[in-house]
Amino acid sequence: MSLEIQLRDLARDVAIEAGELAVRRRSEGVSIAESKSSVADIVTEADREVETLIRGLLLAARPGDGFLGEESGHEEGTTDVAWVVDPIDGTVNYAYGIPQYAVSIAAARGGTDPLAWTAIAGAVRHPAFDETFSAARGEGAVLDSLDGSTRLAVNTEFPAGALLATGFGYDKATHDADIDTVRRVMPIARDVRRAGAAALDFAHVAAGRLDGYFERGLKPWDRAAGALIVQEAGGRILDLPADRHGRIMTIAGDAELVSRIGDRVSGITADE
Ligand code: IPD
Ligand code: CA
């Protein structure tokens, strides 16, 4: 079995166990532990506990791997594999009781600088729906659910316009620019969704439940697993240069659609 598949299977198993803990803690009631970059950017006790569980399980299975987690930061390892983890993506949904939240776990390679890492395996677990999206580089992407195991492929035809998702950062100073981007992209959209969990937005593009997704300012843990799953479902990930707030725009979907969204975001608005 290739290393990529071993890492994917480990990511999947750990994400399922972590999701069970998140659901259990949710049913017991959520307490906000702290606000982070802004008052809207929260962390719950469950985020921290779930990340501790994930870290313990991964490092017990593969001692020496590096780790980058949303809640506990970066620890360099002694192997050439590092784990990139968002214990609960969609924390605001989680806190409000909206089931659109996920556990995201990716294995990456590429030295000591997280910005240079390439994901080689990953899993996004949506515990409320009992769905696990996963991929190993070069091996395709799959969804495991109560209906069995399905290979994923992005949509390539958009006769009624593309169903797109987006997200907004927590910093209010960036909202005007994000709303302006939605206005620019709207002419090629069938409609736009803002569901609140980036990892699931990527996973749903891979599964053809969305045609495309764009957002500025994603963190490595928001995207590591999901972006690989889109690529392994035949899609493209495009990163555009940072805006004046230092936020890179990431676009996911079918390659041609991604180019059209990129042109619109950049102000090239040829007739569609
Ligand atoms: C956030 C969610 C949200 C996205 C933000 C992310 P968090 O992650 O994925 O949909 O718009 O950019 O930071 O804070 O819930 O882990
Ligand atoms: Ca999170």
Side-chain angles (χ1 to χ4, degrees):
M1 196 192 291
S2 72
L3 175 67
E4 285 78 3
I5 289 185
Q6 288 175 41
L7 297 174
R8 180 204 60 198
D9 291 353
L10 177 59
R12 206 152 56 181
D13 291 349
V14 171
I16 290 171
E17 194 168 335
E20 282 167 10
L21 177 60
V23 168
R24 203 158 60 241
R25 290 292 177 261
R26 183 72 194 68
S27 70
E28 293 163 3
V30 171
S31 59
I32 310 297
E34 197 190 328
S35 288
K36 299 193 286 185
S37 62
S38 77
V39 70
D41 184 8
I42 52 169
V43 54
T44 71
E45 296 295 350
D47 291 79
R48 290 176 173 164
E49 197 187 343
V50 173
E51 184 159 315
T52 302
L53 173 75
I54 294 170
R55 190 183 184 122
L57 290 170
L58 290 174
L59 299 187
R62 291 188 46 93
D65 284 356
F67 189 88
L68 174 65
E70 175 167 16
E71 313 306 343
S72 58
H74 178 204
E75 189 181 316
E76 233 173 89
T78 52
T79 69
D80 68 343
V81 171
W83 294 93
V84 188
V85 169
D86 192 341
I88 300 180
D89 180 52
T91 300
V92 175
N93 285 344
Y94 184 77
Y96 273 74
I98 298 171
Q100 184 80 358
Y101 63 87
V103 177
S104 174
I105 300 179
R109 262 178 158 167
T112 55
D113 176 7
L115 292 177
W117 287 349
T118 305
I120 56 172
V124 172
R125 170 71 176 167
H126 188 181
F129 283 15
D130 205 350
E131 292 186 327
T132 312
F133 305 84
S134 66
R137 188 164 289 278
E139 303 286 348
V142 290
L143 165 60
D144 292 295
S145 70
L146 294 175
D147 297 330
S149 192
T150 320
R151 273 186 92 78
L152 301 180
V154 300
N155 293 337
T156 55
E157 306 278 333
F158 321 101
L163 185 63
L164 302 176
T166 191
F168 304 104
Y170 291 117
D171 180 357
K172 285 191 187 305
T174 63
H175 289 168
D176 277 354
D178 288 345
I179 289 165
D180 186 54
T181 299
V182 172
R183 189 183 56 72
R184 287 167 186 263
V185 170
M186 213 58 203
I188 61 170
R190 175 183 196 132
D191 205 343
V192 172
R193 304 283 182 262
R194 196 292 185 248
L200 285 174
D201 290 329
F202 282 111
H204 290 173
V205 169
R209 296 174 181 174
L210 290 167
D211 296 319
Y213 163 60
F214 58 94
E215 180 165 349
R216 284 197 183 86
L218 293 175
K219 301 289 192 304
W221 44 81
D222 296 321
R223 59 173 287 166
L228 175 67
I229 293 169
V230 169
Q231 289 170 323
E232 289 297 322
R236 175 182 176 208
I237 302 294
L238 174 65
D239 287 319
L240 297 178
D243 67 1
R244 68 190 176 86
H245 301 286
R247 301 177 309 152
I248 288 169
M249 163 67 80
T250 302
I251 309 172
D254 160 71
E256 202 187 313
L257 176 65
V258 163
S259 298
R260 284 166 65 208
I261 296 170
D263 285 351
R264 292 245 149 210
V265 169
S266 315
I268 306 164
T269 51
D271 286 348
E272 297 287 345

